[in-house]
Amino acid sequence: FHLSRTAESLPHAANAIAARWFDEVVRASARYAEGRGEAYAGFVWPPGARGPLLGDVRGIDMGSDHEVFEAAGFRVPMVYYHDYPDVTIHTQKDQPENLDVSKLGRVAYIGAGTVWTLAALPDSEAPRVRAEVLAGAEEGLARARAGPDAELARREAAACGIEALESVARLWPSTGSAIAADVERLRAAMPPPPPPADRRVPVRNPGIQGPLNVYYYDYFADIPGADFSKIALASREDGDVLAYEALNLADGVRSVSEIRDVLSGRYATVPLSAIADYFDLLVRTRAVSYRP
């Protein structure tokens, strides 16, 4: 059982909120498995079950609704509960009786708790959300990786933290002044951006709303001579995520270099040439154009 966070291009308070509900369920499962708790206290363990099925929190999971609705055309921040491998999905055996009821109970509990928190948490409790999101931002800064793009990793950790905190202020305006101070501290921790080597600014085709490759659809397959498999990103294990996020970041403001820097800071080091080649492919296939 896994919980996937929002895409790195769309930081949001939902990550911290869902993770806390997720942690509660994992702790309740562990207590029950150790004989120290009652199953229904955490809505996690039905009679007759045979042991804890704990889970983890991970990054975006490509190829499902999680990918579609977070695309730049929609920008709906969402967490995603999923199980792998799910051997019956999209088959004739994809029926309720073949689902794991303990996992269904977890999803219902965590999902309802997350939605309730976002929609109806009393304003007096909002400082707790701010504290969780701020802790995540500070942890991201502390864990920013070393290596050739260490400063970018630190810069983007701060930028993600700022965006997530700003989502808290929008949901609970009473936190605004405290979050403004948090944001200033995070901005002060951001290394300066490197000078852009590729100043071209890609602009997304407004007729394309979602991702270019999802489920059984491949945008490039419909265009003669377009072959994603021949560019550098295709040879990387994380190439599909980087390509997805590169297009999400093409907002008509960021340059190709700036998009590369965001990807290298939030995901993994990627050469500028690989991102430039991908955008050149997008231009040839009219998915984007370069701003004059």
Side-chain angles (χ1 to χ4, degrees):
F1 180 43
H2 311 299
L3 167 66
S4 284
R5 300 185 301 271
T6 63
E8 294 294 328
S9 62
L10 200 58
H12 195 271
N15 288 321
I17 293 168
R20 295 295 77 76
W21 285 95
F22 191 89
D23 289 346
E24 180 186 348
V25 167
V26 170
R27 286 194 300 270
S29 294
R31 285 195 303 272
Y32 179 69
E34 294 165 358
R36 296 186 294 113
E38 200 279 320
Y40 289 102
F43 300 98
V44 295
W45 210 250
R50 294 178 296 175
L53 297 172
L54 304 184
D56 69 336
V57 180
R58 55 179 59 187
I60 186 171
D61 182 69
M62 300 294 284
S64 192
D65 297 339
H66 191 217
E67 176 184 353
V68 173
F69 291 108
E70 291 195 274
F74 307 113
R75 289 188 60 80
V76 180
M78 60 184 293
V79 295
Y80 182 53
Y81 308 103
H82 55 107
D83 186 23
Y84 185 85
D86 185 346
V87 296
T88 69
I89 191 169
H90 296 172
T91 73
Q92 72 273 23
K93 293 186 178 181
D94 195 353
Q95 301 292 331
E97 60 268 24
N98 292 325
L99 299 175
D100 186 305
V101 292
S102 62
K103 288 181 182 176
L104 281 178
R106 291 184 175 95
V107 169
Y109 180 67
I110 299 169
T114 301
V115 170
W116 179 87
T117 304
L118 288 165
L121 186 75
D123 212 51
S124 60
E125 296 293 310
R128 298 176 62 184
V129 179
R130 173 209 161 216
E132 290 288 349
V133 175
L134 180 60
E138 291 172 341
E139 181 181 1
L141 276 170
R143 293 182 179 276
R145 68 180 185 276
D149 283 317
E151 288 207 345
L152 283 177
R154 185 171 178 82
R155 177 179 177 80
E156 294 306 320
C160 286
I162 288 169
E163 288 186 56
L165 283 165
E166 289 174 342
S167 74
V168 177
R170 289 193 299 272
L171 288 163
W172 295 280
S174 64
T175 63
S177 59
I179 284 176
D182 298 333
V183 167
E184 285 305 308
R185 286 195 298 274
L186 289 173
R187 288 196 196 282
M190 294 174 71
D198 189 333
R199 296 179 179 273
R200 295 176 298 171
V201 176
V203 181
R204 186 182 179 122
N205 181 341
I208 297 175
Q209 294 295 307
L212 299 182
N213 190 326
V214 67
Y215 297 115
Y216 307 105
Y217 174 72
D218 181 353
Y219 175 80
F220 300 112
D222 293 340
I223 302 174
D227 191 348
F228 177 80
S229 67
K230 292 182 178 179
I231 66 173
L233 282 184
S235 64
R236 294 178 57 119
E237 184 177 355
D238 58 357
D240 57 344
V241 175
L242 294 176
Y244 168 78
E245 288 284 61
L247 184 58
N248 287 339
L249 293 166
D251 58 359
V253 177
R254 294 184 180 94
S255 68
V256 172
S257 281
E258 288 169 329
I259 291 171
R260 177 266 166 191
D261 292 345
V262 172
L263 294 172
S264 292
R266 299 190 188 191
Y267 283 99
T269 295
V270 56
L272 174 60
S273 59
I275 300 303
D277 285 349
Y278 179 57
F279 276 114
D280 288 345
L281 174 63
L282 295 178
V283 169
R284 292 197 303 273
T285 56
R286 299 184 179 179
V288 303
S289 58
Y290 288 128
R291 195 176 70 191

